[in-house]
Amino acid sequence: MRLGIVQPGIALARLRVGVLISGRGSNLQALIEACAELAYPAEIALVISSRPDAAGLAHAARAAIPSAIVAERDRAGFAAAADQALRARGIEAVALAGFMRVLDDAFVEAWRDRLVNIHPSLLPSFPGLHPQRQALAAGVRFSGCTVHFVRPEVDRGPIIAQAAVPVLAGDDEDRLAARILAAEHRLYPLALRLLAERKLRVVGDRVVIAGATEAEGMLLNPLA
Ligand code: GRF
């Protein structure tokens, strides 16, 4: 077990996190870099990919993190195999990072309030596919990203943290996506830290951050 130094002289067990990916894995890489800091309260102990060719698997390999490919097509089969792999590694919390499959309700319930996702919009606006395209079509002045606890309804669930970025004249989907992605890479480590520090309490549909001002769940100036 690796220990994280929370305060000089006090070492606490780090939260063992499993990350589920399907593709590029840039958010996985951001989490790997955060976990490389001695004082960070979480460690990634398993990466599961739903696709054998996911580029993100190389990030796990480079960081010597065990990985597994779970490619079962049906929801229940995928959930059972993923759940077994996570429990076999003693995983305590699961982070979805560009994971493109819908999880079955039993999996979501089994990991309730220990299962988080990042989505490239300011939820509850623009859930689902192509959120950047949706933001451009709606003409919003700000968009951003959200880390939230997962619930059975896709891209819904109590919000842990958000970062806002401007939508600029001349943006197309790719430019806006890149600006949001830079914010995602800072927001996800911040949100996972709050979870690992056991600071999050779900009250109804909302997350209360213990002993903190609301600002802990906001990433201000994400592009600075
Ligand atoms: C990110 O924009 C994430 O918010 C969304 O899918 C994208 C995944 O990117 N869910 P990456 O695989 O982490 O690079």
Side-chain angles (χ1 to χ4, degrees), residues 6-86:
V6 174
Q7 285 172 21
I10 301 177
L12 291 179
R14 298 170 126 206
L15 184 75
R16 289 173 67 79
V17 177
V19 181
L20 270 57
I21 64 168
S22 298
R24 180 178 55 183
S26 69
N27 278 291
L28 166 64
Q29 178 60 21
L31 293 175
I32 289 172
E33 287 170 21
C35 290
E37 280 176 36
L38 199 56
Y40 196 77
E43 65 177 303
I44 300 172
L46 180 65
V47 171
I48 293 179
S49 174
S50 64
R51 297 179 53 113
D53 58 350
L57 284 167
H59 298 312
R62 213 173 312 115
I65 296 169
S67 61
I69 293 158
V70 179
E72 270 78 354
R73 293 306 318 164
D74 75 287
R75 270 187 209 180
F78 179 92
D83 193 71
Q84 194 181 31
L86 292 163

Side-chain angles (χ1 to χ4, degrees), residues 133-148:
R133 194 185 300 171
Q134 295 183 53
L136 289 170
V140 293
R141 299 295 184 229
F142 287 91
S143 190
C145 48
T146 303
V147 178
H148 63 96

Side-chain angles (χ1 to χ4, degrees), residues 21-29 96-100 117-121 132 145-146 155 177 180-181 184-185:
I21 64 168
S22 298
R24 180 178 55 183
S26 69
N27 278 291
L28 166 64
Q29 178 60 21
L96 308 181
F99 177 69
M100 297 306 289
N117 180 45
I118 188 160
H119 182 76
S121 76
Q132 302 91 348
C145 48
T146 303
D155 298 328
I180 293 172
L181 193 65
E184 290 183 48
H185 296 161

Side-chain angles (χ1 to χ4, degrees), residues 87-105:
R87 291 183 196 281
R89 289 281 304 159
I91 298 299
E92 300 167 284
V94 177
L96 308 181
F99 177 69
M100 297 306 289
R101 301 278 302 272
V102 176
L103 289 164
D104 84 336
D105 292 0

